[in-house]
Amino acid sequence: MASCTICLPALMMLVLDLNTVESVWPLPQKLAISEERYPLSPTHFNFYYGEDQASIMKDCSLLDSAFTRYFPLIFPDLTSGNGVLPSTEEKAFSLVVTMHQKDCDGYPNEGSSERYQLNVSAGQAVLNSDTVWGALRGLETFSQLVQQDEDGTYFINKTEIEDFPSFQYRGILLDTSRHFLPLKAILNTLDAMAYSKFNVFHWHIVDDPSFPYQSRTFPDLSSKGAYHPMSHIYTQSDVRRVLTHARLRGIRVIPEFDSPGHTQSWGKGQPNLLTPCYKGSSPSGTFGPINPASALSYTFMSQFLKEVTSVFPDPYFHLGGDEVNFSCWQSNPDVRAFMQKMGFGKDYTKLESFYMENIVNITSNLNKTSIVWQDVFDYHERIPKDTILHIWKGLPAQYKAETSRMTKAGHRVLLGAPWYINHIAYGQDWRISYNVQPLNFSGTEEQKKLVIGGEVSMWGEYVDATNLSPRLWPRACAAAERLWSDESQTRSAEAAFPRLQAFRCSLLRRGVRAEPLSPGHCSDEYRGI
């Protein structure tokens, strides 16, 4: 079928108040929905490619798998069927997908368009997108538009949508070091991320407590640094499975290997990497951050980063650089001698700067764009202008001022400070996340263009597979809408509340353990308990 260009003003439709539309989260940029509705039958529903799409859609396994995945999401009560049954019945309904670029074989990246248009009319819906990634977002929206009446009959309203994200980066961080997360928990999180149109999985894979990543080049890192060398590791096969699962849902995977701090687990499997701490003139037997005064540290990091940048295909790579405790460096005579040799005096921020500048340059030579925590900028480190700065500290006044300084210096910025939702509070704390305004800081329009998006963090001190999902969902959905939707249409948390309640019920129906928002119930309570 030929593609269709949506022209919203051209149709006479009853446009409902957007905040009363309980079927789509996050809210589309432009949405017109009519009271006119069309019944759907799972036995008479089909996915089609547009008539002129033969060359673009040929062997597009990514979209084919999405059709298979979305069929039971559209018709959740159906126990069998694959959505490809031919039918000539009058009530047959088709979803016709048209794309303008063939990008089915690659991975999503920072330049991937997620724009789509969706036009639902009698007998068919037409989904137009620039890329397969936009088609995936449109499929998710279509699946949320399909509802059931009291008799269980599926229906969809006459609808027109023109949609695209407000920010290109909409991420979730999972910490798999403080508590190991089984592979299934990660894959389930990726599923739920796709439902909310998140598009980046920031994998904080290792840290002080454990090193679960199984390195090909340095296998002792996990065999000696993981909680258990067999059961609590991510093999290369596990990593590939995460990458594939994420790609099929249009989600990028950005790994973080934080250094020079947060590396205690590294030292268990890599001798002479960490700095020996001293008590007076004698070693204390404890170790601090990676030793920035040793050439061996940079040799190791070069080899290790060469491996992991080849494993993870995304052009972004998170290098950390936060919370470095200087006391061990200060105690070590070799480090102090190196400080004097380099002319750093007693300013240990200059020593950290020296280390991070070297690590960023190594990463740049591997054709990756570095992301670093804000500490790297705060210590006035000389880093490439294309380095992305990740804000994680401060109350609103502080992170707004930090955003202003960073963008004035010409750096792209990723906002994380307001969305540390591993911190919990009694009641509806999602409203705090919802009311964040990422661009509400002092700066020019050019500065505001440098804010590429934001990220929800779920740190793992008190989170494992038993409570990950209910702590994350639906609270993370507030940030999802803030980063996707038009802020001018989504300023009221109170008005958004009914839609979020409905979406939480949808998550339950899809098997996501999403915690309640208030007293009440869903027509389909979670069935896995």
Side-chain angles (χ1 to χ4, degrees):
M1 297 183 181
S3 62
C4 173
T5 300
I6 294 177
C7 183
L8 295 178
L11 291 180
M12 296 297 293
M13 301 182 71
L14 172 64
V15 181
L16 305 180
D17 180 349
L18 292 180
N19 288 314
T20 67
V21 178
E22 297 187 2
S23 53
V24 183
W25 191 282
L27 190 70
Q29 298 281 342
K30 296 180 181 180
L31 183 149
I33 186 167
S34 166
E35 288 185 326
E36 185 177 349
R37 62 167 62 173
Y38 316 112
L40 301 180
S41 168
T43 58
H44 298 92
F45 180 87
N46 301 276
F47 294 104
Y48 287 117
Y49 294 126
E51 289 180 352
D52 57 349
Q53 296 286 291
S55 61
I56 293 179
M57 300 297 194
K58 184 179 180 182
D59 300 323
C60 188
S61 59
L62 192 151
L63 203 52
D64 290 339
S65 68
F67 292 161
T68 301
R69 186 170 67 251
Y70 269 99
F71 190 79
L73 296 178
I74 295 169
F75 302 108
D77 287 342
L78 191 68
T79 57
S80 63
N82 58 15
V84 295
L85 296 174
S87 173
T88 57
E89 297 288 336
E90 291 183 359
K91 293 184 180 181
F93 196 97
S94 301
L95 174 56
V96 182
V97 179
T98 300
M99 297 187 325
H100 303 295
Q101 300 174 22
K102 184 175 182 181
D103 50 1
C104 295
D105 299 326
Y107 286 84
N109 58 53
E110 74 276 17
S112 297
S113 171
E114 297 172 280
R115 180 184 293 269
Y116 69 92
Q117 295 175 315
L118 181 62
N119 185 346
V120 180
S121 56
Q124 75 168 16
V126 177
L127 171 59
N128 293 321
S129 65
D130 295 332
T131 68
V132 69
W133 318 115
L136 291 176
R137 303 298 172 240
L139 280 173
E140 175 57 38
T141 296
F142 179 85
S143 74
Q144 294 184 29
L145 288 170
V146 176
Q147 301 177 56
Q148 282 180 282
D149 62 21
E150 295 180 354
D151 297 325
T153 300
Y154 294 100
F155 68 90
I156 189 168
N157 286 75
K158 183 179 181 69
T159 306
E160 292 185 351
I161 289 174
E162 190 169 340
D163 203 12
F164 53 88
S166 292
F167 293 93
Q168 69 182 58
Y169 187 116
R170 307 175 309 281
I172 285 184
L173 177 152
L174 293 185
D175 170 9
T176 58
S177 173
R178 290 174 175 85
H179 281 98
F180 180 83
L181 293 176
L183 187 61
K184 183 178 179 181
I186 296 174
L187 300 182
N188 288 344
T189 300
L190 292 170
D191 290 341
M193 287 173 63
Y195 303 152
S196 295
K197 297 186 173 71
F198 281 105
N199 70 337
V200 177
F201 170 37
H202 174 177
W203 194 352
H204 188 88
I205 192 167
V206 301
D207 207 295
D208 280 331
S210 73
F211 197 106
Y213 171 77
Q214 188 178 61
S215 167
R216 296 190 303 253
T217 313
F218 301 98
D220 282 351
L221 288 170
S222 61
S223 66
K224 297 180 179 179
Y227 286 132
H228 190 282
M230 298 298 292
S231 61
H232 285 58
I233 61 170
Y234 301 109
T235 66
Q236 293 292 313
S237 176
D238 292 334
V239 171
R240 286 193 297 271
R241 190 170 172 190
V242 169
L243 292 170
T244 298
H245 199 86
R247 173 183 169 271
L248 291 175
R249 288 151 183 79
I251 296 172
R252 302 163 59 189
V253 179
I254 298 177
E256 180 185 354
F257 289 89
D258 192 356
S259 72
H262 292 277
T263 49
Q264 287 298 297
S265 66
W266 302 43
K268 297 176 183 179
Q270 187 61 28
N272 304 316
L273 178 65
L274 304 185
T275 306
C277 305
Y278 276 67
K279 187 174 184 179
S281 60
S282 302
S284 66
T286 60
F287 295 87
I290 288 176
N291 188 347
S294 171
L296 293 175
S297 297
Y298 302 102
T299 300
F300 164 78
M301 290 301 294
S302 294
Q303 294 174 335
F304 180 69
L305 289 173
K306 183 178 181 180
E307 175 196 324
V308 292
T309 54
S310 69
V311 170
F312 292 91
D314 198 88
Y316 289 1
F317 195 92
H318 207 304
L319 294 172
D322 65 318
E323 295 185 311
V324 180
N325 189 325
F326 296 147
S327 60
C328 185
W329 286 351
Q330 292 167 338
S331 76
N332 185 289
D334 294 331
V335 173
R336 292 200 303 270
F338 183 79
M339 291 276 290
Q340 294 303 313
K341 175 184 175 183
M342 298 299 294
F344 295 159
K346 295 184 179 181
D347 186 352
Y348 283 84
T349 65
K350 292 182 178 178
L351 182 59
E352 183 186 355
S353 297
F354 175 82
Y355 174 85
M356 287 304 299
E357 288 163 15
N358 276 279
I359 299 305
V360 169
N361 287 336
I362 291 169
T363 308
S364 296
N365 290 333
L366 294 167
N367 297 315
K368 296 288 186 179
T369 297
S370 298
I371 306 176
V372 295
W373 296 109
Q374 69 180 80
D375 312 51
V376 176
F377 175 81
D378 293 343
Y379 289 153
H380 308 291
E381 300 174 17
R382 295 172 296 180
I383 52 176
K385 189 61 69 71
D386 68 347
T387 304
I388 297 168
L389 304 176
H390 193 165
I391 298 177
W392 68 277
K393 291 189 285 188
L395 297 172
Q398 295 166 310
Y399 68 68
K400 289 177 184 180
E402 184 83 340
T403 305
S404 182
R405 287 190 294 269
M406 290 174 171
T407 54
K408 188 174 182 179
H411 284 285
R412 287 174 291 173
V413 169
L414 179 61
L415 184 61
W419 293 309
Y420 268 44
I421 67 171
N422 52 291
H423 298 159
I424 56 176
Y426 187 78
Q428 296 185 23
D429 60 351
W430 68 271
R431 293 173 181 264
I432 300 171
S433 296
Y434 194 82
N435 289 328
V436 173
Q437 296 175 296
L439 301 183
N440 183 19
F441 65 92
S442 178
T444 65
E445 287 305 309
E446 290 304 309
Q447 283 179 254
K448 296 187 178 186
K449 290 177 182 177
L450 292 173
V451 179
I452 64 172
E455 186 170 279
V456 171
S457 292
M458 184 55 70
W459 295 100
E461 288 89 347
Y462 305 102
V463 175
D464 65 7
T466 65
N467 64 345
L468 169 64
S469 188
R471 188 163 294 190
L472 191 56
W473 310 109
R475 294 164 69 233
C477 301
E481 179 149 293
R482 178 55 56 240
L483 293 169
W484 179 280
S485 304
D486 181 352
E487 187 178 303
S488 67
Q489 299 182 57
T490 55
R491 286 178 175 161
S492 170
E494 189 64 33
F497 181 58
R499 284 192 301 110
L500 186 56
Q501 278 189 309
F503 186 63
R504 183 254 172 178
C505 289
S506 175
L507 291 176
L508 289 185
R509 192 168 190 178
R510 294 180 175 191
V512 179
R513 292 173 179 259
E515 71 178 15
L517 293 162
S518 67
H521 82 291
C522 296
S523 58
D524 289 275
E525 299 284 14
Y526 185 73
R527 300 173 183 177
I529 296 178

